Amino acid sequence: MDIVSFIETLAGKWFSQRTTHYLASQTSKAGQSNLLMEVLPATDASLVQLCEAQGQDPSHIVCGLKVDQDSRLDGDTRNTQRTTVMVMLQPTAEGKGVLLQASSKETVALGEYSLDSDVLTLTTQTPDGTVQERLWFANPNLRMRTSVLKVGDIEHMASFCSEIRLGGAPVQS
């Protein structure tokens, strides 16, 4: 599977159940999210603008993804809403490529992606440290996702999500 095919499998509405473990305090927190994921074509104006703003050549865009997220952690009284746009640039022969992410909170993260054995790995640098996220499918409507936040060589946070497709299943080829 190539990166465009994998991104296309992400399209649709998803319910996400998440557990986050904070390693320093040895505490965990559960949460839920509703996700709406939309595949964006390489010619999408928001993808081109993001590339240009980050000094990347828009002609190298292979696809993009827009994620609308509505989340709540257990114990919180208010939901967190965010929109993130991701741009995948042309991968190397080894399947690695540049990843740009921009969120509605005005932050832009530069990173890389790799796709190996139908597992997508996203690695991004954020103000908090390095985040490595892995996504894979147990079946077409059940997706797994893990993430780890590292500061230097120290892991600070780890999370696991199981995500169920609620609608908008991708077209089967």
Side-chain angles (χ1 to χ4, degrees), residues 7-8 10-14 35-41 44 47 63-68 84-86:
I7 295 300
E8 288 172 346
L10 300 175
K13 296 178 185 178
W14 295 84
L35 306 169
L36 178 59
M37 305 181 91
E38 176 186 357
V39 177
L40 301 175
D44 184 88
L47 303 182
C63 65
L65 186 68
K66 178 181 173 191
V67 180
D68 291 313
T84 302
V85 173
M86 291 187 250

Side-chain angles (χ1 to χ4, degrees), residues 97-138:
V98 172
L99 165 71
L100 298 173
Q101 291 186 74
S103 77
S104 54
K105 296 186 179 199
E106 308 265 342
T107 59
V108 176
L110 176 64
E112 75 172 22
Y113 69 87
S114 64
L115 185 60
D116 185 35
S117 301
D118 294 339
V119 177
L120 178 63
T121 301
L122 308 173
T123 305
T124 53
Q125 302 299 317
T126 71
D128 295 328
T130 302
V131 177
Q132 184 178 66
E133 188 170 21
R134 294 172 51 91
L135 296 94
W136 69 96
F137 287 86

